[in-house]
DNA sequence: GTACCAGTTCAAGCGAACTTGAGGTCAAGC
DNA sequence: GCTTGACCTCAAGTTCGCTTGAACTGGTAC
């Protein structure tokens, strides 16, 4: 199995080297040695990074993701946790759908102010009730949004 | 219009007083006076808080939400922005659906390791490619998840 | 043999959205 | 009149996932 240096892993995974070092520090990935100072990784790390990306997208924190990796390096993903997360996602999807519809409605609603529109008020009530999470779902700020490797 | 003190607003909106003060500081809400030291709010603030909650859920930052409030206190929501956000949500929903299906599949997939399952690999690839955002969608940590008023 | 530069470490910083703590104030109840 | 306690201000702290900066190292090219 060919060994990759950090630059190559960064390039092929689209993950900045600084993030790779960070992941290693957190135990999410492991380098298998050094060439001089430079870390060397097995190419399997790319798979692992993909798994990490997937986990993040699914809403797991890095700490949770780290826990799914067994000491021997394999990933043993708890099937019940997966199902639970799928359930969560399902609820989420329904709620996001409601919000999307609400936004669309608000965009065309003839009411002089959105506050006077019953549909909009209903959705507002939903959000205010805490039924919907206040997550930065689509945060435009801060977070990187780069594509993968070129 | 009855005036509410901060405790009442907190109680009825489910938003901690500290957050209300923070919102005021950020210009998201405004108190109309004081009784002694205590801030007083018009009951319309509850509506505004609902709007803030909705905005957050839809993925707007507090700064963005603040911008939608006109100087006169009314909210003028940019219809194009709403539609754009609805579009974003739509894409998001599709992707979350794919992930949910992937998780469900992984949970029942007979492959010895998820890494050997083609379906799982395909989704992993999606996440790794950057096509999916790495948002803390369902963050279990940190963020409060309390229900609204009792 | 030496200069170069991509990599290294470690600590600190960031940004979002709040929370927490210390020390202060004021209306109300007794 | 004094205590009580909820609220006040201001600064600093928290969490997450990284990034950035300064000072350093070592294989590689010349």
């Amino acid at each position: 199995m060919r060994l990759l240096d950090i630059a190559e892993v960064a390039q092929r995974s689209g993950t900045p080297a600084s993030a790779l070092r960070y992941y290693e520090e957190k135990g999410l990935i492991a380098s298998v040695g050094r060439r001089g100072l430079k870390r060397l990784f097995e190419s399997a790390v790319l798979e692992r990074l993909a798994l990490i990306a997937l986990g993040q997208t699914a809403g797991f924190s890095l700490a949770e993701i780290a826990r799914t990796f067994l000491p021997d390096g394999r990933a043993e993903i708890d099937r019940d946790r997966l199902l639970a997360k799928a359930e969560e996602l399902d609820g989420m999807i329904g709620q996001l759908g409601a919000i999307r519809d609400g936004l669309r409605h608000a965009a065309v609603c003839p009411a002089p102010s959105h506050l006077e529109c019953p549909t909009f008020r209903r959705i507002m009530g939903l959000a205010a009730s805490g039924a919907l999470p206040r997550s930065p779902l689509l945060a435009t700020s801060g977070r990187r949004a780069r594509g993968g490797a070129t």
Side-chain angles (χ1 to χ4, degrees), chain A residues 18-85:
Chain A
S18 61
L20 294 175
R21 280 189 284 267
Y22 178 73
Y23 288 171
E24 185 176 26
E25 189 188 324
K26 293 288 168 179
L28 286 154
I29 59 177
S31 53
V32 293
R34 300 274 176 136
R35 172 154 47 236
L37 285 180
K38 301 183 188 181
R39 284 165 177 78
L40 293 175
F41 294 93
E42 283 177 2
S43 59
V45 79
L46 295 174
E47 216 146 55
R48 194 128 166 176
L49 287 170
L51 201 49
I52 291 170
L54 177 61
Q56 285 189 290
T57 304
F60 293 100
S61 69
L62 290 183
E64 286 176 303
I65 294 168
R67 257 177 265 137
T68 72
F69 294 125
L70 297 177
D72 68 356
R74 284 162 36 74
E76 215 329 288
I77 303 169
D78 179 343
R79 288 164 199 262
D80 289 341
R81 279 241 310 269
L82 290 184
L83 285 178
K85 203 54 118 169

Side-chain angles (χ1 to χ4, degrees), chain A residues 121-146:
Chain A
R121 292 183 66 90
R122 191 173 51 71
I123 296 168
M124 252 176 46
L126 246 187
S129 75
L132 306 179
R134 254 123 141 149
S135 328
L137 287 182
L138 302 165
T140 48
S141 55
R143 293 274 182 273
R144 70 216 164 84
R146 297 176 305 89

